[in-house]
Amino acid sequence: MSNLDLAEEILEHQVSCKPMELYVFMDPMNPACWELQSIIRKLQIEYGHYFSMRMILSTQLSALNMSVKNADMTGDELEHPALPSVAIKAAELQGKRAGNRFLYKLQEHLFLQSRNVTSYGVLLEIAAEAELDQDEFKDDFHSVHSAKAFQCDLRITREMEISEVPSIVFFNECIEDEGVKVSGLYSYDVYLTILQEMLGKDRLNRQSPPSLDDLFIKYPTMATHEVASIYNISEQTAERELKKQVLQQKLERIPMQDETLWKVK
């Protein structure tokens, strides 16, 4: 775990007593869950002081084979639908920040580059791009701990009767109250309204977004539309500001087929 990851883990522990907790159920292979990521980022930036968040992997598999640790991992040819989820759990063992970074990179490879993320070899590439400790990632991927963590997520999914992904369950600090389940993908305003109603406040204190430099420290790779949404500006204005960062050699521009990404150099 890097010093930055460790600092974030400590900070989250210190401020864990927030009035709301969000359980976010997602399948990393589901396009709607990829779209939800942008919404969650904006919600965390503006109102993250009101809630903590737990990501639950809810991969839908007809026949789940968790014998990964017994498979021959000497080559990169191994493929299985469960591998991306197991890999995410392995990445999370290096810290929550590392896990989120790996998840985003995995979805980027899947939805923007059309890579086969069920391949062990591709997952190793993603781990390298996410700047994980490679030896630690391989060890954790092979260990029983990652598989059991994924199985735990699937059990929570069943117990909370989650039948659609993405889904978010909002819990307040009153243990006796049931959570509010929101199944499917909605606009940012819908999630904000639910948060506000459950907090029982007429108005929430919105935090201003960080500088571009600080934003890319938190999220090393972002799309143009995400930056525009966070700063409430047009995509044209966002692209102009991002190009300035490229000229200053702070970012690099990565053109994709359907999207433009900006990455910290």
Side-chain angles (χ1 to χ4, degrees):
M1 186 186 300
S2 70
N3 290 336
L4 184 59
D5 291 345
L6 179 60
E8 182 168 286
E9 296 286 303
I10 294 172
L11 179 61
E12 287 185 355
H13 178 73
Q14 291 173 340
V15 297
S16 58
C17 296
K18 296 181 180 180
M20 296 287 298
E21 184 172 20
L22 275 57
Y23 276 41
V24 181
F25 295 84
M26 67 160 52
D27 179 348
M29 311 284 281
N30 185 305
C33 294
W34 164 249
E35 293 181 41
L36 180 65
Q37 292 278 55
S38 298
I39 296 173
I40 288 175
R41 284 180 168 186
K42 182 177 172 66
L43 198 64
Q44 285 180 311
I45 287 171
E46 295 188 338
Y47 301 102
H49 49 296
Y50 288 110
F51 67 88
S52 58
M53 188 177 70
R54 180 174 178 182
M55 195 79 70
I56 309 294
L57 298 181
S58 306
T59 307
Q60 303 299 313
L61 301 172
S62 56
L64 182 60
N65 175 13
M66 297 305 296
S67 59
V68 174
K69 72 183 185 74
N70 297 321
D72 178 11
M73 296 289 192
T74 56
D76 294 349
E77 70 282 352
L78 180 72
E79 294 184 13
H80 192 280
L83 296 192
S85 295
V86 175
I88 292 167
K89 288 303 173 184
E92 287 178 351
L93 292 175
Q94 296 190 36
K96 186 175 180 180
R97 183 186 179 90
N100 289 337
R101 197 165 60 237
F102 181 87
L103 170 61
Y104 188 85
K105 279 291 180 185
L106 185 148
Q107 292 177 312
E108 180 184 308
H109 275 253
L110 174 62
F111 297 116
L112 300 182
Q113 301 180 34
S114 300
R115 300 290 303 281
N116 178 15
V117 298
T118 67
S119 162
Y120 178 64
V122 173
L123 292 170
L124 291 180
E125 290 181 37
I126 295 170
E129 285 191 28
E131 300 179 347
L132 301 185
D133 182 299
Q134 291 292 285
D135 292 334
E136 188 177 341
F137 176 77
K138 290 177 183 178
D139 289 344
D140 290 334
F141 185 87
H142 292 296
S143 77
V144 69
H145 302 295
S146 298
K148 284 187 175 180
F150 178 35
Q151 288 174 325
C152 179
D153 279 10
L154 294 179
R155 184 172 65 251
I156 294 173
T157 300
R158 290 193 300 270
E159 290 175 352
M160 291 196 179
E161 300 180 346
I162 302 297
S163 57
E164 181 181 0
V165 290
S167 288
I168 299 181
V169 181
F170 293 74
F171 293 100
N172 61 26
E173 55 190 347
C174 184
I175 301 175
E176 292 78 13
D177 291 350
E178 291 187 5
V180 173
K181 184 193 302 182
V182 183
S183 300
L185 180 67
Y186 295 90
S187 68
Y188 175 83
D189 290 340
V190 170
Y191 299 110
L192 179 56
T193 298
I194 294 169
L195 186 67
Q196 182 172 325
E197 289 179 351
M198 290 197 69
L199 286 167
K201 296 180 179 291
D202 295 330
R203 185 175 180 179
L204 299 183
N205 180 27
R206 175 181 172 272
Q207 293 185 137
S208 299
S211 66
L212 266 177
D213 288 343
D214 290 339
L215 181 67
F216 275 89
I217 289 175
K218 186 173 181 64
Y219 306 118
T221 304
M222 299 199 72
T224 307
H225 74 87
E226 289 183 290
V227 175
S229 175
I230 287 170
Y231 292 105
N232 294 310
I233 56 179
S234 68
E235 289 194 27
Q236 291 79 5
T237 301
E239 183 160 354
R240 187 165 59 247
E241 293 302 315
L242 290 163
K243 284 180 177 177
K244 292 179 184 177
Q245 298 281 308
V246 172
L247 291 174
Q248 295 171 16
Q249 298 188 336
K250 294 180 178 180
L251 301 177
E252 61 177 303
R253 186 174 183 269
I254 307 174
M256 296 290 180
Q257 184 176 354
D258 301 315
E259 188 70 89
T260 298
L261 298 181
W262 308 83
K263 179 183 177 182
V264 171
K265 273 198 168 182

